[in-house]
Amino acid sequence: MFKILGVDHIGIASTDLADGEFWKLLGLKSNGEETVADQKVTTAFYPTTEDEQHGEIELLVATEPDSPIAKFIDKNGGRGGIQHIALRVDNLEAALAELKEKGVRLIDEKPRRGAGGKNIAFIHPKATHGVLLELCQVIE
């Protein structure tokens, strides 16, 4: 059995990390940029809590034309938008095993390395009424 610990972040597809200026106007500060080569993205996180543990805004920019972010933007008429919602779990492997056993359609059956020091896995949008859902676990 696994436990959901809370909303980890909301992923927003963008064409330019300079779009982070809006989040700065709200008083949020970026904790830096990170490129995740195997996902073909560069990210910038904007924590929304003082402890920087939950509720971040993640801006995602494609680094390759075949990136999932580039495809999302193309489908969205050249504009960005909310690409995914991520929930933090206490045991990602257990979550994936349990969901698979219950017949939930998964994109990732095993955790993979994501941005921000986390292991991640995606649930297929067909299982979540059209929402791309990411599960993540902080790597200790």
Side-chain angles (χ1 to χ4, degrees):
M1 187 80 175
F2 71 97
K3 182 178 178 183
I4 294 175
L5 303 176
V7 174
D8 188 83
H9 65 272
I10 298 171
I12 300 175
S14 179
T15 58
D16 191 336
L17 287 180
D19 290 343
E21 290 302 314
F22 171 76
W23 303 105
K24 291 177 186 175
L25 288 174
L26 296 178
L28 303 180
K29 296 178 182 161
S30 172
N31 59 11
E33 297 176 10
E34 180 180 352
T35 298
V36 183
D38 68 326
Q39 294 178 39
K40 303 175 185 174
V41 298
T42 296
T43 69
F45 283 94
Y46 291 82
T48 64
T49 60
E50 286 187 28
D51 66 4
E52 300 185 5
Q53 293 300 308
H54 294 91
E56 293 178 301
I57 301 296
E58 177 189 28
L59 290 185
L60 300 121
V61 174
T63 59
E64 300 287 335
D66 63 340
S67 162
I69 298 303
K71 291 175 185 176
F72 176 90
I73 288 173
D74 286 345
K75 279 181 155 179
N76 205 22
R79 297 181 314 273
I82 294 176
Q83 194 256 352
H84 69 273
I85 296 173
L87 299 177
R88 187 179 295 189
V89 297
D90 64 339
N91 186 327
L92 184 53
E93 288 185 8
L96 294 172
E98 184 176 329
L99 292 170
K100 183 177 178 179
E101 182 180 301
K102 291 179 177 179
V104 174
R105 187 170 176 187
L106 306 173
I107 293 174
D108 299 302
E109 292 190 12
K110 295 182 186 250
R112 58 186 161 121
R113 179 82 172 170
K118 298 173 189 141
N119 278 336
I120 64 168
F122 286 93
I123 309 302
H124 199 284
K126 289 187 177 181
T128 61
H129 307 285
V131 176
L132 180 60
L133 182 65
E134 176 183 335
L135 300 180
C136 61
Q137 180 180 1
V138 175
I139 300 168
E140 300 292 332

